[in-house]
């Protein structure tokens, strides 16, 4: 089959997707649907096209310069505004969906307790899962790290003479560098998730754990598809673009030698892999080819089927503000005439389990709620973090993989605590961000200038009299100094924002004057 055969046939497109129209899905009453991403308000084409900002520059193990990449994202106002609005829109939907359940906080607590229990007995549940899966006729493999995961899967494909593999969205495979490894070994990988496919065609990593291409506008996607799929470059209608991608991907699905899915939850009791999608692409990837492979992070275990209901209720509401994903698929045993493999991957998870302050990050169910609420993430874009996991959850996960490379990320936070408040499994994200800052400072994984500044700040903040004197001096200086002396490269707080107006009186001085009796201290 040639590349021309895979280009979309305009005559075959459904009439509803050919004309430009409001891309928002509507119900029978004509009103826009209020679920998932369907209710996001359309972003109209600008008068002039704005190039999409690219992500952080990767230089081996050198620290990621998230601030530099964030500045480039902020310098693209269309993309920054669209990104911020979309994610805040999803965050608001999350609030509506969760407030509709009176027992929401009880569900969060129960989900957290189930995860705590499972992680505390992870060795037992992994053995139970393996035994159940093998009893179901599944081949179970163990991978110590990402490289071993890739070698195992490559070996399975070689044994079956497989040259093409379709896969659904999996952050674990992104973490392992799976697609790039397979490309280097002559295996053709096709992403079946729309967002992942967009990113694959544009040679970019996903920028969000749920919405991989959320940083792109429809215009960006139209340009990518025109360049790679031969679509009309002037048509940025969402229905047209989605239909074009579906038509070009479907032949790959039907002809693939093997299929792969990730895993949202792995049930120890039954040896079942559960995936949650809104496109049904995991069902296609896991059922159409006769060779099925499932990649599973060992932290995805839950004990029993009855526990699944708790996580299904909190996952979609936290991720997109919808009551449930369109598809909740269970893969337990191979179909007649097919073969199923499950690869359990550690890749640093066991080491993290032994970290007293950071092990609870393993509770994460990859909903992305912390990203949607984070002001830094919303305004800087996921690719600015230069890592598989971005946003607040990335700030506490990434340093466990490489302290030096991701040493700057825990400082890309306002520490407002909103990430912790929305986490469906109650991970104390902002406290762990602060804990990583301490660890990195103690291990000298931050620049000398910042170390000196933090040491000086610590000396001032530990002495109330010195702190009050410093505040008074700084306030007086800010009122008196000329603008060029305040807004310069040394004052990072003045980049992209105005400094707050300095008060004429400090709170401590006001309180002492108006509330303290007899001048008591």
């Amino acid at each position: 089959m040639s590349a021309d055969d895979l280009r979309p046939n305009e005559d075959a497109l459904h009439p509803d997707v050919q004309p430009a129209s409001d891309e928002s899905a509507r119900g029978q009453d004509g009103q826009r649907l209020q679920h998932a991403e369907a209710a996001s308000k359309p972003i109209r084409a600008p008068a002039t096209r704005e190039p999409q900002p690219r992500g952080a520059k990767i230089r081996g193990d050198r620290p990621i310069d998230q601030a530099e990449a964030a500045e480039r994202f902020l310098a693209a106002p269309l993309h920054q505004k669209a990104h911020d609005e979309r994610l805040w829109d999803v965050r608001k939907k999350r609030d509506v969906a969760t407030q509709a359940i009176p027992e929401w906080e009880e569900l969060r607590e129960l989900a957290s307790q189930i995860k705590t229990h499972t992680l505390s007995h992870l060795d037992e549940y992994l053995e139970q899962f393996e035994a159940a899966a093998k009893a179901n006729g599944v081949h179970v493999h163990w991978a110590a790290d990402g490289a071993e995961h890739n070698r195992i899967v490559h070996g399975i494909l070689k044994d079956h003479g497989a040259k093409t593999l379709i896969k659904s969205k999996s952050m674990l495979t992104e973490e392992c560098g799976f697609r790039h490894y397979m490309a280097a070994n002559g295996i053709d990988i096709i992403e079946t998730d729309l967002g992942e496919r967009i990113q694959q065609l544009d040679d970019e990593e996903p920028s969000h754990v749920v919405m991989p291409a959320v940083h792109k506008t429809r215009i960006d996607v139209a340009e990518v598809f025109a360049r790679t799929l031969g679509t009309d470059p002037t048509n940025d209608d969402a229905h047209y673009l989605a239909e074009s991608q579906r038509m070009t991907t479907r032949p790959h699905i039907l002809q693939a030698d093997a299929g792969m899915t990730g895993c949202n939850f792995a049930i120890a009791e039954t040896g079942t892999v559960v995936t949650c999608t809104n496109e049904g692409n995991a069902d296609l990837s896991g059922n159409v080819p006769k060779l099925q492979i499932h990649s599973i992070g060992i932290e995805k275990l839950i004990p029993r089927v009855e526990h699944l209901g708790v996580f299904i209720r909190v996952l979609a509401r936290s991720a997109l503000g919808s009551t449930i994903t369109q598809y909740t698929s269970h893969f337990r045993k191979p179909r007649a005439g097919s073969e199923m493999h499950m690869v359990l991957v550690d890749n640093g998870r066991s080491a993290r389990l032994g970290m007293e302050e950071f092990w609870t990050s393993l509770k994460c169910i990859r909903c992305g709620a912390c990203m949607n609420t984070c002001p830094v993430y919303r305004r800087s874009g996921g690719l600015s973090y230069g890592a598989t996991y971005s946003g607040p959850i990335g700030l506490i996960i990434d340093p466990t993989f490489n302290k030096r490379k991701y040493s700057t990320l825990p400082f890309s936070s306002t520490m407002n605590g909103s990430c912790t408040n929305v986490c469906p499994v109650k991970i104390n994200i902002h406290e762990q961000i602060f804990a990583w800052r301490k660890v990195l400072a103690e291990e000298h994984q931050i620049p000398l200038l910042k170390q000196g500044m933090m040491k000086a700040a610590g000396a001032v903040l530990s002495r109330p009299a010195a702190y009050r004197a410093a505040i008074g001096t700084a306030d007086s200086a800010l009122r008196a100094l000329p603008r060029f002396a305040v807004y310069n490269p040394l004052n990072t707080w003045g980049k992209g924002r105005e400094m707050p107006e300095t008060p004429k009186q400090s709170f401590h001085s006001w309180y002492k004057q108006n509330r303290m009796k007899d001048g008591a201290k």
Side-chain angles (χ1 to χ4, degrees):
M1 179 174 291
S2 66
D4 290 336
D5 293 327
L6 296 178
R7 298 188 187 281
N9 181 351
E10 298 289 341
D11 295 334
L13 292 178
H14 192 279
D16 288 347
V17 306
Q18 289 187 18
S21 60
D22 181 350
E23 74 273 21
S24 302
R26 297 178 180 271
Q28 294 180 348
D29 60 357
Q31 299 297 313
R32 292 207 280 134
L33 297 179
Q34 294 297 315
H35 68 80
E37 296 171 269
S40 297
K41 64 181 182 181
I43 297 173
R44 298 302 174 191
T48 58
R49 293 177 179 259
E50 177 184 85
Q52 180 212 313
R54 294 292 159 169
K57 299 171 183 176
I58 309 299
R59 301 183 179 93
D61 281 349
R62 292 178 60 185
I64 295 293
D65 193 345
Q66 195 269 343
E68 183 274 334
E71 283 187 19
R72 285 190 279 107
F73 195 80
L74 286 166
L78 170 68
H79 286 81
Q80 190 276 319
K81 185 174 185 293
H83 191 259
D84 189 17
E85 287 185 355
R86 283 174 183 151
L87 292 172
W88 189 244
D89 185 44
V90 174
R91 160 65 206 266
K92 290 189 293 185
K93 290 183 179 63
R94 175 262 174 204
D95 291 347
V96 171
T98 59
Q99 290 166 11
I101 304 179
E103 66 275 20
W104 176 254
E105 289 304 319
E106 287 78 3
L107 282 172
R108 288 182 71 211
E109 180 62 29
L110 186 54
S112 180
Q113 290 181 7
I114 293 171
K115 278 292 188 178
T116 297
H117 167 78
T118 309
L119 291 168
S120 300
H121 300 81
L122 189 56
D123 55 341
E124 300 170 21
Y125 287 118
L126 285 170
E127 291 178 355
Q128 183 182 5
F129 178 87
E130 179 187 35
K134 286 183 174 179
N136 294 333
V138 176
H139 300 274
V140 179
H141 310 264
W142 298 83
D145 53 29
E148 187 172 8
H149 163 271
N150 296 341
R151 290 194 297 269
I152 288 171
V153 176
H154 187 209
I156 295 170
L157 297 176
K158 285 178 64 177
D159 291 344
H160 292 77
K163 293 293 184 181
T164 58
L165 180 143
I166 54 170
K167 65 180 289 289
S168 64
K169 184 163 57 183
S170 164
M171 295 309 295
L172 174 61
T173 59
E174 296 289 347
E175 177 187 320
C176 295
F178 175 76
R179 197 169 65 229
H180 302 290
Y181 175 91
M182 289 298 162
N185 285 275
I187 305 295
D188 190 15
I189 306 294
I190 300 295
E191 296 284 355
T192 58
D193 174 86
L194 175 58
E196 285 279 2
R197 183 62 172 156
I198 292 169
Q199 291 304 94
Q200 180 185 21
L201 292 173
D202 201 23
D203 194 27
E204 274 191 333
E205 305 304 316
S207 70
H208 190 286
V209 295
V210 175
M211 301 171 281
V214 69
H215 60 292
K216 280 180 163 61
T217 65
R218 290 182 293 117
I219 298 172
D220 296 331
V221 177
E223 291 176 348
V224 172
F225 281 8
R227 184 175 73 248
T228 58
L229 302 180
T231 56
D232 179 359
T234 65
N235 191 342
D236 60 12
D237 178 73
H239 291 303
Y240 167 77
L241 295 170
E243 181 77 354
S244 299
Q245 186 274 344
R246 184 186 70 83
M247 290 183 61
T248 56
T249 303
R250 193 56 59 96
H252 290 293
I253 295 174
L254 297 176
Q255 299 170 17
D257 299 322
M260 170 182 277
T261 79
C263 170
N264 288 98
F265 308 101
I267 305 173
E269 178 184 32
T270 59
T272 303
V273 166
V274 179
T275 63
C276 303
T277 68
N278 283 317
E279 300 174 24
N281 55 301
D283 290 45
L284 294 172
S285 299
N287 285 304
V288 174
K290 291 184 178 180
L291 177 59
Q292 307 168 43
I293 304 171
H294 304 278
S295 295
I296 310 163
I298 59 174
E299 83 283 11
K300 296 299 181 71
L301 268 284
I302 59 174
R304 297 192 293 275
V305 175
E306 65 188 75
H307 298 141
L308 182 62
V310 174
F311 293 97
I312 294 300
R313 294 189 74 191
V314 300
L315 176 61
R317 287 177 170 87
S318 299
L320 294 170
S322 55
T323 54
I324 195 171
T325 52
Q326 301 297 319
Y327 300 87
T328 301
S329 308
H330 297 238
F331 299 95
R332 188 172 65 89
K333 61 189 299 184
R335 294 170 289 108
S338 68
E339 186 172 308
M340 181 181 290
H341 294 257
M342 295 181 180
V343 186
L344 291 159
V345 185
D346 187 319
N347 202 36
R349 287 159 174 78
S350 293
R352 200 188 320 163
L353 191 57
M355 297 179 178
E356 183 176 357
E357 291 188 279
F358 307 113
W359 71 270
T360 57
S361 63
L362 290 165
K363 293 182 180 182
C364 178
I365 59 174
R366 307 294 193 266
C367 68
C370 61
M371 300 177 176
N372 302 337
T373 197
C374 176
V376 176
Y377 176 88
R378 295 200 321 266
R379 291 167 177 81
S380 61
L383 295 180
S384 69
Y385 294 78
T388 298
Y389 303 106
S390 53
I393 192 63
L395 305 191
I396 62 177
I397 290 180
D398 296 330
T400 66
F401 294 121
N402 190 324
K403 285 181 186 177
R404 172 175 164 77
K405 184 174 183 178
Y406 303 118
S407 59
T408 63
L409 297 190
F411 297 90
S412 299
S413 170
T414 65
M415 300 293 290
N416 62 74
S418 182
C419 48
T420 297
N421 292 336
V422 301
C423 178
V425 289
K426 303 183 78 170
I427 302 172
N428 59 332
I429 301 175
H430 72 291
E431 293 177 349
Q432 291 192 39
I433 293 173
F434 179 68
W436 266 119
R437 291 183 179 184
K438 290 196 296 182
V439 169
L440 294 168
E442 290 168 358
E443 297 186 8
H444 306 291
Q445 292 289 349
I446 58 178
L448 291 175
L449 177 60
K450 181 171 284 189
Q451 289 184 48
M453 292 172 65
M454 291 178 68
K455 187 174 181 180
V460 172
L461 293 173
S462 64
R463 296 173 176 81
Y467 171 72
R468 288 194 290 271
I471 289 295
T473 301
D475 286 348
S476 299
L478 286 173
R479 286 193 293 268
L481 288 172
R483 185 175 180 83
F484 74 84
V486 177
Y487 295 92
N488 59 68
L490 294 177
N491 178 21
T492 56
W493 286 100
K495 280 188 176 181
R497 66 168 75 86
E498 288 292 317
M499 297 291 291
E501 184 178 350
T502 56
K504 295 180 180 179
Q505 186 179 29
S506 70
F507 174 77
H508 180 271
S509 175
W510 177 90
Y511 189 86
K512 185 176 180 180
Q513 178 182 328
N514 294 278
R515 291 290 186 268
M516 283 187 172
K517 293 182 179 180
D518 303 323
K521 294 183 178 180

